[in-house]
Amino acid sequence: MSVAYNNAFSKSVQALVESAKDPSSEVRDHINGALLSMAQKNFGSVLNVICQFLTNNKVGNTPTHQRVTLLRSIRRISQEYDDQVSDKLMLELVTVCYADMTHTIDINSEWQQAACQTAAELCCINPGACVPYLINQIPGTTLPHYFIVSALSQAADSRPIRFIPYMKECLSKFMPILGMAKQDIIRCVTANALASFAEAIFQLYALPELSPRSQPAAKAKADDYYDGMYTALSLLVNDWSGTKELRARNAVCMAMGKLSCVVHAERLSERLPQLVKLLCTAVRKEKPSDVRDTLKGMTFLIQAGMDKLPTQLEIHLPELFGAVFHQIVVYNGLGTTQQTELLKNHQELMLSVEAMALGSTQTVLSFIQAQLDVKFGSKDVTTRCAALGIIRHLVQRQHLDACLAPLKNNVVAVVRTCLEDTDYRMQKTVVQTIMSMGAAVTNNFLACDGADVLVQYVVVHSAHGPHTIHEWKLKNKKLDDAGQPGPGDLRHLATSVLSLFNTTLPNLDTVMWPFVLEMIGLMPTKPDIYYTFPTITNIICSVSKRLGNTHDFYFDFDRVVNVPKPEALIATFCVMMSQPQHLGVEVTMQIVKAMECISPLLDEPMKRGSDGSTPIGSLWLGTLPEIRNYLTSEEFKQDDYEEACHNLLKKTAQARKEEIWVQAIATQFGNQLGMWTPSNIPADFVKERHDFKRVALSMFGLAVSRTNLKTFVTDNLNLLAEATDHNNEAQRMGTSRALGAIATVHTDVVLDKVGKIAKPPRSGGGGGGFFGSKKPEAGPDKDFGELSRATALLGYGNIAKKANQGLFTSRFETHVVPMFLEMVQTAKQPAVKIAALNCQNMLGTSLRKCPDFNFVSKASVMNACIQQMLVEPTQYAMNDATAYQLLYCGYTALIPTAHLKPLCDDELLKSLRQCIAAGICKVCDPLLSTISRMLPLSSSRERVPLCTCVRRFLLLLNAYAR
């Protein structure tokens, strides 16, 4: 470059340097950036100009903020160009920094602190030029300036390997004057320096840094410094350990711990009891915000003891662990904000625990187990969470894998002791710990014996239902407002953990499979598993995809006894897949995909015969894709979809052509009926589950209908009646459809059972006294209440649709009509009346298919129906909408019945005319203004069905008149 260019460049830099006295911090930051940019052209020239400016302009002649800006520029440029800066220039720069940082005795000046930091950085970059200069500034008979000690301390702490070659010279100046330090602030900085020197020596055997300037450290030996370090340790223990000022006290504690690493084992043995006592006392009494440096010292002391005196330190481990554990408990008791602020302190606590665990893992586990013991352990939730949190941390540390490997079963056992805790804070910690155990790839804790209970724990807590969450929030509003974890938080966490196990931890595939199927088997005893069923099916799809057709995928159901049998899986999945209206199409698609994944298992391949046939697997793999396609088609209808689900079950039951197989499926449906609408869930939260119960009841009947064993049918008919909530319309519909399905083969048995269900409710007990009292009936002749008659009536209608017509018509007048008339004439509940009319509609429609059938009781039945239609809206506490519904159902029932033989006589025609007249005059007129209140007619647009019924009814009357 030309001389003119260099002069112009220097002037530009000088202009920027002069501008750094601007009072605006924003402008000074821009100047700093500009100097760094110009250094890219010629960093030496920039540093020279700054150095000359600071040297020529004394402190009194320049603003301190200008000097701070320039000192920071020196540091940034030196960091950027490191080894390229010449030794001469480095010496000039450190001289400038020394002059600035020692200008006054003020240690809080931003300007002097900036000079100290820059000097320390220069020592790190070029220790050969800078460190000896600073060491030479230490007087032999008096204490050095605060910032000289601080700069050397920072340099040793930042680049210990580069500092080592100058350690002897530094200590030779330092050690003689240690006893002169009486002020706390001097003791603080000196203790920090000793700690940095000790840590540098401790790391002496680490790999040298790549810089050529670090090579001289390879010639040094740690033993060369042990005697000098012991002298300093003795001074700290004997004289400085009683320091009262907080920063000095913490610095001394940290220094004692680090110095213990660089003394001979014999010397450390003499001081160990005293050091343990001092550090444990300091850790216990410090506030969580002030304990970090003291903890660093304890960590180094534990490391030194484990390396040099493991047997002697073993005696002191309970005391050491107790002090650290005390601070961990305190930390766990803080709020979330405070914990975030003190996160580094907590990390230092865990480093101390790691050091103890690295030396004596069994001792640490024993202490934790004592805290968590059910009988003798701590009852405080915070303490228990803290103890379990330690395990969570230890299993995550890869350098502890070898120590924990022989104790994996112990770790699992310790966590299992916490599974009975009812506090949600503890439950949350347990789930987090299980997550960490699952993430431990090397030890794979969840593959240990008994660890399946831990995975089950996560699944169960991912299934907290909305009723549980709502109830907890109502009872614990203050805790909820304060951010305490509840069942909702636990459910979200557990679901996330299961997702993590499924997606990012493939080493858990053999743990999750076939265990995930066991969770489905828990549904009868833990009905809330229903809420996590989508997560379970997602795991099934993912794991089965990864395992594919490997040996790990297939298993023997007889050996894996906790996995539900194929018939139980079929019963659960067929019901769960039937309700996309409640679960959503996406979740239902996932369930259907899971069914495809498990279909190869349903033929129990481990027992497969020589022919290798897979009737169920082939059936499902051929049918389920069609069902999936229909789910997403525009022609989708819920009723048609449910019919497809029933057809799948029907074909599945017939696939093996074995009576025992059909009975096994029916038995599983019966065993699972109670889980769809569990009694412990409030009614407001179980509405959608009644539809699942409806389908389960219907499919139960379908499965029973496939068997030929009469006693089996009779027993399951009793179960069907017992399991039905006759007060619920959906369940009545499901049971009536089940009765119709069973009647296709066992008509007489079903008619007999329906007659028992329809028996009139008891009016009360007998006479008074002992002999007059009577217990309610139980068993097959149990009284199910008045609404069970609605179930029976709908059952008669479905029997007429499904049963053999010849057989049914032969029993109709003797078995059905008397019961029908008795129930209709004594009906009080609107639901029973509506069921009677719907029953007659199904009966009339079915009997019209028998052209030769002569309905002897036609007039009696039609008159009974007409009487229900003419009930005033206020009668039996019915609202207007119920009266309109009765009218609508009555018209639809009378139309097919009127067409049956024999023809209606004059008296019956008169009743029909009265019915239509009364209906039009008394009901249809107000209907025009109140149409929106009707249950089946929700808007004026829906007026057509009723009008059509009236029109058809009038045409029927005209036909009879002609």
Side-chain angles (χ1 to χ4, degrees), residues 122-138:
L122 295 174
C123 289
C124 293
I125 295 170
N126 193 336
C130 301
V131 173
Y133 176 81
L134 288 182
I135 292 175
N136 291 333
Q137 308 310 313
I138 301 175

Side-chain angles (χ1 to χ4, degrees), residues 707-893:
T707 181
N708 296 316
L709 188 61
K710 186 175 180 180
T711 55
F712 182 82
V713 173
T714 303
D715 292 341
N716 282 285
L717 279 172
N718 294 333
L719 175 59
L720 179 67
E722 291 276 356
T724 303
D725 178 6
H726 297 277
N727 295 315
N728 182 267
E729 182 180 3
Q731 294 195 37
R732 293 197 298 268
M733 294 293 293
T735 300
S736 65
R737 182 169 179 177
L739 293 170
I742 300 172
T744 56
V745 180
H746 307 280
T747 307
D748 288 333
V749 179
V750 176
L751 285 173
D752 181 61
K753 183 60 185 177
V754 174
K756 293 177 179 179
I757 295 175
K759 66 186 295 186
R762 298 181 57 83
S763 59
F770 179 80
F771 294 101
S773 62
K774 198 170 185 179
K775 294 182 180 179
E777 293 185 53
D781 296 325
K782 178 182 177 182
D783 174 16
F784 297 103
E786 183 177 357
L787 285 175
S788 65
R789 315 184 94 194
T791 306
L793 287 163
L794 293 172
Y796 280 135
N798 279 281
I799 293 170
K801 291 170 61 176
K802 299 290 185 178
N804 178 273
Q805 290 184 348
L807 182 61
F808 179 74
T809 53
S810 66
R811 309 290 197 273
F812 180 66
E813 295 282 2
T814 57
H815 287 73
V816 178
V817 172
M819 293 299 299
F820 177 85
L821 291 174
E822 190 275 332
M823 286 188 284
V824 171
Q825 291 165 2
T826 60
K828 295 182 179 180
Q829 294 280 357
V832 180
K833 297 173 180 290
I834 293 170
L837 295 173
N838 287 331
C839 169
Q840 184 54 40
N841 181 22
M842 289 187 282
L843 289 172
T845 302
S846 299
L847 293 174
R848 284 188 68 183
K849 298 176 183 178
C850 303
D852 298 330
F853 175 70
N854 188 42
F855 192 0
V856 178
S857 306
K858 175 179 175 180
S860 300
V861 171
M862 293 186 71
N863 279 320
C865 293
I866 291 170
Q867 291 302 317
Q868 301 306 317
M869 295 172 62
L870 298 180
V871 170
E872 294 293 336
T874 56
Q875 192 173 351
Y876 301 137
M878 292 187 295
N879 55 29
D880 292 346
T882 303
Y884 301 148
Q885 190 175 8
L886 281 170
L887 183 67
Y888 174 77
C889 293
Y891 285 149
T892 57

Side-chain angles (χ1 to χ4, degrees), residues 54 75 110 132 138-139 210 246 285 293 404 533 550 566 635 708 754 758 774 790 821 843 889 945:
L54 292 175
R75 187 175 64 191
E110 181 187 9
I138 301 175
L210 298 179
L246 176 63
K285 75 177 184 179
D293 287 343
L404 290 171
F533 198 84
T550 64
E635 293 81 16
N708 296 316
V754 174
K774 198 170 185 179
L821 291 174
L843 289 172
C889 293

Side-chain angles (χ1 to χ4, degrees), residues 58 94 266 268 405 413 423 474 487 604 734 841 894:
K58 301 303 179 184
V94 78
E266 297 80 8
L268 179 60
D423 191 286
L474 288 179
E604 297 193 64
N841 181 22
L894 289 174

Side-chain angles (χ1 to χ4, degrees), residues 267-284:
R267 298 289 185 89
L268 179 60
S269 178
E270 298 171 6
R271 293 289 182 179
L272 186 61
Q274 196 174 3
L275 286 169
V276 169
K277 183 178 180 181
L278 287 171
L279 289 176
C280 287
T281 303
V283 168
R284 284 183 178 276

Side-chain angles (χ1 to χ4, degrees), residues 196-208:
S196 299
F197 297 159
E199 188 171 0
I201 296 170
F202 182 67
Q203 296 181 19
L204 185 59
Y205 296 114
L207 291 174

